[in-house]
Amino acid sequence: FDNKLSNSVFQKQFLDAAKNNDVQICSLAMTGFYSQSFAERDTWQKNIADCIATMKAMKVKTAFLPLGVSSDLKKYPELKNILAERLHTAGKMALDADIVIGVETSLDAASERSFLKEVGSPAIKSYFNFENALDAGRDVCEELKILGKEYICQIHCTDTDGVWLQNDPKIDMKKVKKALDKMRWSGWLVIQRSRDAKRVHDVEYNFSANTAYMKKIFQS
């Protein structure tokens, strides 16, 4: 939770580098909540406020909030009410700042849609992750349709490491594109994993390949 981007020096470095390389910053992530519990951490409102302040400084409109290991709703369904309450409050903060917070859960699409309805804030949406659906044996296209356009702010276009997206037998990206087009959804597809198991740490090798493939499918 040591946010270096709250420092104006670091902010300028990132913004200058983005401008010089013609790169847009699509979202900022509250990665501390991968391992820390959003449902139980006392400083959660301070953390949300810190993220929103950083977003304003960085001119970013979407935040990513993973409900990770300690707030996994499949493992800890008893946390559902407190998470919904906290996210509703976070949604009010987001609305006031004119930003959106995307949450990632391990729930199936129907359950996640129901949960977002319970949260009841237009500023809290799904940051949908293909990997969660694929690891659970669910059909990505069907999950997207069930969740619906209005509930998805961004998409983690990724799978568990092993092969590049173009070599992944678990997902047909052309079908995914058709499903998203039919839904009339548009937005960012954020590449995360799907790295070649033999060269997991080679960033340029893996991300260049996945990016080139996704551009071929979605920007043809």
Side-chain angles (χ1 to χ4, degrees):
F1 289 93
D2 182 13
N3 177 15
K4 298 295 186 185
L5 276 179
S6 63
N7 186 315
S8 60
V9 174
F10 285 103
Q11 290 170 5
K12 187 176 186 306
Q13 287 179 352
F14 272 83
L15 289 171
D16 287 349
K19 182 179 179 180
N20 292 337
N21 290 282
D22 194 24
V23 170
Q24 296 180 54
I25 302 173
C26 65
S27 55
L28 294 182
M30 291 178 266
T31 52
F33 286 113
Y34 268 121
S35 56
Q36 297 291 321
S37 177
F38 185 72
E40 298 170 327
R41 190 172 177 86
D42 293 337
T43 62
W44 67 275
Q45 280 185 279
K46 179 182 177 182
N47 299 139
I48 293 289
D50 177 49
C51 180
I52 290 174
T54 306
M55 292 170 73
K56 286 184 176 180
M58 299 292 289
K59 298 178 176 61
V60 176
K61 288 291 189 179
T62 302
F64 170 47
L65 172 59
L67 300 181
V69 178
S70 300
S71 292
D72 186 329
L73 282 168
K74 285 187 71 176
K75 294 180 180 178
Y76 309 107
E78 68 275 10
L79 297 178
K80 182 180 178 183
N81 289 340
I82 184 65
L83 282 172
E85 290 173 8
R86 290 189 171 191
L87 286 172
H88 183 77
T89 299
K92 289 181 179 179
M93 296 168 69
L95 277 175
D96 288 341
D98 191 29
I99 61 106
V100 172
I101 297 174
V103 297
E104 178 187 338
T105 79
S106 60
L107 299 172
D108 62 80
S111 299
E112 184 163 294
R113 184 183 173 103
S114 175
F115 176 66
L116 291 173
K117 284 184 176 181
E118 185 175 334
V119 171
S121 171
I124 304 294
K125 298 189 177 187
S126 173
Y127 203 127
F128 187 79
N129 191 331
F130 291 168
E131 182 180 11
N132 291 329
L134 294 170
D135 283 349
R138 298 192 288 264
D139 184 296
V140 168
C141 295
E142 287 302 313
E143 291 287 284
L144 290 168
K145 293 174 187 175
I146 292 168
L147 191 53
K149 170 186 175 180
E150 68 274 22
Y151 286 104
I152 302 171
C153 63
Q154 284 185 17
I155 292 174
H156 262 142
C157 186
T158 187
D159 194 8
T160 304
D161 286 330
V163 296
W164 291 341
L165 287 168
Q166 66 198 60
N167 300 324
D168 193 338
K170 291 189 290 180
I171 188 165
D172 184 333
M173 210 58 72
K174 291 180 180 179
K175 286 185 178 180
V176 172
K177 182 182 186 302
K178 287 181 180 179
L180 290 173
D181 286 347
K182 190 172 183 179
M183 292 165 58
R184 297 183 180 276
W185 186 89
S186 64
W188 286 92
L189 303 175
V190 181
I191 296 167
Q192 184 184 12
R193 292 197 179 114
S194 296
R195 297 171 292 188
D196 186 334
K198 296 178 181 178
R199 295 173 64 176
V200 171
H201 300 293
D202 193 331
V203 174
E204 187 172 353
Y205 169 76
N206 288 298
F207 282 81
S208 295
N210 283 326
T211 301
Y213 174 66
M214 293 303 294
K215 285 184 176 181
K216 181 180 178 182
I217 297 296
F218 284 88
Q219 295 182 348
S220 59

